[in-house]
């Protein structure tokens, strides 16, 4: 099934002269792991809002073209219905946690679906287990670290059993090591949901391309509200590099793109050590 289908999608925020999104044509199939990247202000969060139906239902403006998420037309489907298939984790988890305990936050979505209490209990248990925060069940979200809040926000989305998970800059509040473990956790989660018979689609807006690369099936680059590149991750990064599109291409890959033809390199290095070996240099034992 197709997860996302956008056709000639344009959006202009009310009061703004300029379109935030222009002529977006995009199809994302179920099960894909897609990075959306591009310079600040290019329209990534706006696109995420369209996929959740927050645009046009919560953000006034002018929406043209078509936007379907799992065959639901976002223009005339209530956000609450879209939220049964799509969950978003925002940049700032504070926006997403608003009760007095993690458990209540995670139960909030299923309660709004008016599910029976035993089903709500099962979903809360499973969501807490999947993100590894069972021990924080009774904690107040205010007393958690940024990383723990981030996990609680993810659990509060998972309890809705969404088929499409959208993360809008999930590591923006985290230090480098917590960022790396959050990214690993997101994709472990996808693997375990897929193993349990799901086909979870992950769309992630993120600048830390280095942490994500091995997990991605596709990269989409947006610039000034338009999709300028879309395809296989390495090809898209190389093209961005050649065109000078300002995205966060890992330095090791920038070196690889620069020298690969001249040095006859056939595949990209996965570590700095490998790169040095490929370039014919010698590295010390611990290098
Ligand atoms: N609520 C809003 N009202 C009016 N204009 C907005 C609103 N939100 C975003 N914009 C404008 O829409 C454009 C796209 O913004 P958006 O937040 O989607 O960019 P972004 O790619 O997510 O940027 P960042 O990487 O900084 O998060 C920008 O010009 C921004 O100023
Ligand atoms: Mg944004």
């Amino acid at each position: 099934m197709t997860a996302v289908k956008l056709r000639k999608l344009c959006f202009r925020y009310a009061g703004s002269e300029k379109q935030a999104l222009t002529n977006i044509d995009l199809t994302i199939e179920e099960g894909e792991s897609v990075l959306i990247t591009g310079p600040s202000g290019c329209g990534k969060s706006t696109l995420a809002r369209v996929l959740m139906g927050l645009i046009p239902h919560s953000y006034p403006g002018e929406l043209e073209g078509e936007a379907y998420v799992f065959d639901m037309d976002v223009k005339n489907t209530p956000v609450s219905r879209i939220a049964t298939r799509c969950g978003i984790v925002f940049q700032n988890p504070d926006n997403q946690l608003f009760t007095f305990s993690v458990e209540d936050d995670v139960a909030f979505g299923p309660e709004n679906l008016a599910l029976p209490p035993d089903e709500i209990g099962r979903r809360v248990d499973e969501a807490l287990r999947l993100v590894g925060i069972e021990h924080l069940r009774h904690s107040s979200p205010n007393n958690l670290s940024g990383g723990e809040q981030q996990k609680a926000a993810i659990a509060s989305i998972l309890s809705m059993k969404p088929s499409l998970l959208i993360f809008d800059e999930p590591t923006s509040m985290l230090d480098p090591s917590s960022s790396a473990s959050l990214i690993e956790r997101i994709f472990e989660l996808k693997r375990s949901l897929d193993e349990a018979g799901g086909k979870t689609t992950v769309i992630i807006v993120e600048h830390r391309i280095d942490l994500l690369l091995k997990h991605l099936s596709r990269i989409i680059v947006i610039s000034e509200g338009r999709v300028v590149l879309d395809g296989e991750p390495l090809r898209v990064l190389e093209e961005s590099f050649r065109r000078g599109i300002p995205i966060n291409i890992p330095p090791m890959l920038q070196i690889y793109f620069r020298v690969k033809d001249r040095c006859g390199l056939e595949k990209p290095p996965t570590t700095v050590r490998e790169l040095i070996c490929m370039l014919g240099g010698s590295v010390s034992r611990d290098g």
Side-chain angles (χ1 to χ4, degrees), residues 2-10 21-29 32 34-37 43-44 46-48 50-51 65-70 164 166 201 203-205 218-222 225-231:
T2 299
V4 171
K5 193 169 93 182
L6 307 178
R7 291 290 172 266
K8 299 210 177 318
L9 187 89
C10 302
L21 297 174
T22 304
N23 270 337
I24 306 270
D25 277 312
L26 196 60
T27 304
I28 297 177
E29 298 298 338
E32 289 197 63
V34 181
L35 167 69
I36 297 183
T37 191
K44 304 178 295 294
T46 305
L47 184 58
V50 171
L51 302 182
E66 295 173 19
Y68 291 91
V69 178
F70 298 110
L164 169 60
I166 304 172
T201 310
I203 297 180
I204 184 161
V205 175
R218 178 171 170 192
I219 297 181
I220 295 169
V221 181
I222 301 184
R226 294 172 189 268
V227 172
V228 291
L229 287 169
D230 176 0

Side-chain angles (χ1 to χ4, degrees), residues 125-145:
D125 292 348
E126 191 187 10
L128 294 174
R129 186 180 53 76
L130 277 168
V131 293
I133 54 164
E134 291 125 307
H135 59 293
L136 299 176
R137 173 186 280 267
H138 301 295
S139 304
S140 160
N142 291 331
N143 297 337
L144 304 181
S145 71

Side-chain angles (χ1 to χ4, degrees), residues 45 91 168-169:
S45 296
Q91 221 158 302
D168 191 355
E169 303 206 29

Side-chain angles (χ1 to χ4, degrees), residues 13-14 16 18 20 38-47 49 59 91 168-169 207:
Y13 286 98
S16 174
K18 181 169 123 292
S40 181
C42 70
K44 304 178 295 294
S45 296
T46 305
L47 184 58
R49 287 173 193 146
Y59 288 82
Q91 221 158 302
D168 191 355
E169 303 206 29
H207 294 290

Side-chain angles (χ1 to χ4, degrees), residues 106-108 110-112 114-125:
V106 179
F108 184 81
E111 277 167 0
N112 275 333
L115 295 173
D118 54 343
E119 172 64 12
I120 295 174
R122 265 197 302 275
R123 286 189 178 209
V124 171
D125 292 348

